[in-house]
Amino acid sequence: MPERVEIVPYDAKWPAHFREIAAALKTLLGDRMLDIHHIGSTSIPGMAAKPLIDIDVILPTPADVIDACPLMEAAGYEPRGNRYDADIFAFMKRTTAPRQRVYLCPEGHDTHHRRIQFRDYLRTHPQAAADYQALKLKLAEEFEYDGDGYTAGKAAFVNDIVARADKR
């Protein structure tokens, strides 16, 4: 059965959850990890979101990303492949609350850069954040059991925000 797209009110504990997960990932991946970023809606204060902490882990090269995949699996992360972008591999951990989705990204990858631009723009533009939240709530109703449809429905908005951020 498909998973329900659930949007919940902002939880002030999400940043602390990120810090705990980041510390565990640093221990797991060690010195090969260059940086780690809380991304997605749970990283935007006040934003309603899926109860899922999204994280970008930055590694030096695409080869380092591949080498880190077995470590992620051994730590209980479910591999989700690289369906989002070449050289970026996604992993889910559904056994935690909130759940975790970790993206292993090579340094300098455009997808990671765009995610940071989007996050930072919404953090500093309350009206854009409110518009995004309204869109997410609408799409969660429309695509209640269609995560791909939900994600596709946000694409134009996300691209517009990233274009705005590029102009700053």
Side-chain angles (χ1 to χ4, degrees), residues 142-164:
E142 185 176 342
F143 297 101
E144 186 176 10
Y145 288 96
D146 179 4
D148 290 338
Y150 168 81
T151 299
K154 299 185 301 179
F157 184 93
V158 170
N159 290 337
D160 179 59
I161 293 298
V162 170
R164 288 187 212 174

Side-chain angles (χ1 to χ4, degrees), residues 14 17-18 21 38 42 51-55 98-101:
W14 286 337
H17 287 302
F18 163 73
I21 297 163
H38 188 184
T42 61
L52 169 70
I53 305 295
D54 284 306
I55 298 172
R99 294 173 299 152
Q100 305 170 30
R101 180 169 42 210

Side-chain angles (χ1 to χ4, degrees), residues 111-152:
T111 294
H112 168 68
H113 177 71
R114 288 172 51 86
R115 288 176 179 157
I116 297 302
Q117 284 182 300
F118 182 74
R119 178 199 69 193
D120 290 353
Y121 191 92
L122 292 186
R123 283 179 172 175
T124 58
H125 293 82
Q127 186 57 57
D131 293 345
Y132 184 55
Q133 179 171 287
L135 174 64
K136 289 170 12 124
L137 292 167
K138 175 183 166 283
L139 292 170
E141 283 185 26
E142 185 176 342
F143 297 101
E144 186 176 10
Y145 288 96
D146 179 4
D148 290 338
Y150 168 81
T151 299

